[in-house]
Amino acid sequence: ELKVEQNPLFLSMQEGKNYTIYCNYSATSDRLYWYRQDPGKSLESLFVLLSNGAVKQEGRLMASLDTKARLSTLHITAAVHDLSATYFCARTGAGNMLTFGGGTRLMVKP
Amino acid sequence: DSGVTQTPKHLITATGQRVTLRCSPRSGDLSVYWYQQSLDQGLQFLIQYYNGEERAKGNILERFSAQQFPDLHSELNLSSLELGDSALYFCASSVFGAGDTQYFGPGTRLTVL
């Protein structure tokens, strides 16, 4: 059974600080996705990581993939309140089905 | 706005009832996926259709069924509803299947009383 585990599940940060969310998965995967979800809202695609060593950056968020360690990270630089949301990593399985991690709820405090 | 639409936004019904959730994919997308999000089970894949054909099945209960129509919209039918079926149901679409990013609709919040 495919498993995707994220940690931490909850993260409270001060504005301006840096932090990393970790995503471990149980089997090899072609692709690793990061999504953002605001409370009661839909999921917004942030990054897709295609190969070992892939790194993508958008604003204060940077995602990376280490397929040998089966690990992806989402690094937050100089957090701002607008980044408060729940972040999910997901990998693809049979067909194109996504298996999601449990999510990391991020709260950025002024 | 992802371009994926779902109706209705909210649905409140009673145990034992049957409901239908509707999804229209982004223009040009052939694949439609259904996911269920609940507090206790997180985000779970239910089923995928590609160009009208069932492509992959996940943890979908026998009481649930789906189909994709020739115009590519999809419907998820939930019957004999139980309290535990209360959840947010998302539809996503992608151009083809394997390897394509999925874009999610706004979701339908189902409450079973």
Side-chain angles (χ1 to χ4, degrees):
Chain A
E1 182 188 339
L2 300 173
K3 287 189 178 176
V4 180
E5 292 182 351
Q6 282 180 243
N7 68 84
L9 296 183
F10 180 75
L11 180 54
S12 180
M13 299 175 63
Q14 293 292 128
E15 277 193 330
K17 297 292 186 184
N18 304 332
Y19 209 83
T20 300
I21 299 170
Y22 297 88
C23 173
N24 291 93
Y25 52 94
S26 64
T28 56
S29 172
D30 290 335
R31 288 158 192 262
L32 194 293
Y33 295 84
W34 284 95
Y35 283 87
R36 169 183 170 143
Q37 185 180 35
D38 292 302
K41 302 291 185 181
S42 185
L43 287 95
E44 175 192 353
S45 175
L46 294 175
F47 302 108
V48 52
L49 301 167
L50 303 180
S51 59
N52 188 43
V55 176
K56 288 202 173 173
Q57 183 162 6
E58 180 74 34
R60 300 174 188 275
L61 300 177
M62 184 173 72
S64 65
L65 180 63
D66 180 344
T67 57
K68 292 177 183 174
R70 297 180 185 167
L71 171 69
S72 180
T73 60
L74 181 66
H75 186 72
I76 302 148
T77 302
V80 293
H81 180 70
D82 285 353
L83 290 179
S84 297
T86 299
Y87 293 85
F88 290 94
C89 64
R91 64 176 295 286
T92 47
N96 200 26
M97 61 174 275
L98 290 170
T99 301
F100 285 88
T104 297
R105 187 176 164 209
L106 173 66
M107 283 184 59
V108 181
K109 299 179 180 178
Chain B
D1 185 353
S2 67
V4 179
T5 60
Q6 289 185 248
T7 56
K9 281 191 87 170
H10 301 278
L11 201 45
I12 301 174
T13 188
T15 55
Q17 295 298 305
R18 173 189 169 94
V19 297
T20 297
L21 312 184
R22 183 188 167 105
C23 167
S24 292
R26 295 185 317 159
S27 177
D29 284 2
L30 299 176
S31 268
V32 169
Y33 312 78
W34 287 97
Y35 292 86
Q36 179 195 59
Q37 185 176 33
S38 62
L39 281 175
D40 52 344
Q41 305 219 31
L43 267 161
Q44 286 200 95
F45 168 75
L46 295 177
I47 197 163
Q48 176 199 359
Y49 278 82
Y50 173 76
N51 204 22
E53 302 285 330
E54 183 184 302
R55 181 58 64 93
K57 221 169 183 177
N59 296 325
I60 188 166
L61 299 171
E62 282 191 19
R63 300 183 285 108
F64 296 0
S65 65
Q67 53 184 327
Q68 186 179 26
F69 295 86
D71 67 351
L72 300 177
H73 91 271
S74 178
E75 293 181 356
L76 180 67
N77 301 295
L78 315 176
S79 60
S80 303
L81 285 167
E82 301 174 1
L83 296 177
D85 297 328
S86 296
L88 200 46
Y89 290 85
F90 286 110
C91 166
S93 73
S94 68
V95 177
F96 294 111
D100 292 334
T101 296
Q102 295 176 36
Y103 294 92
F104 282 74
T108 293
R109 181 168 294 282
L110 173 67
T111 303
V112 182
L113 301 175

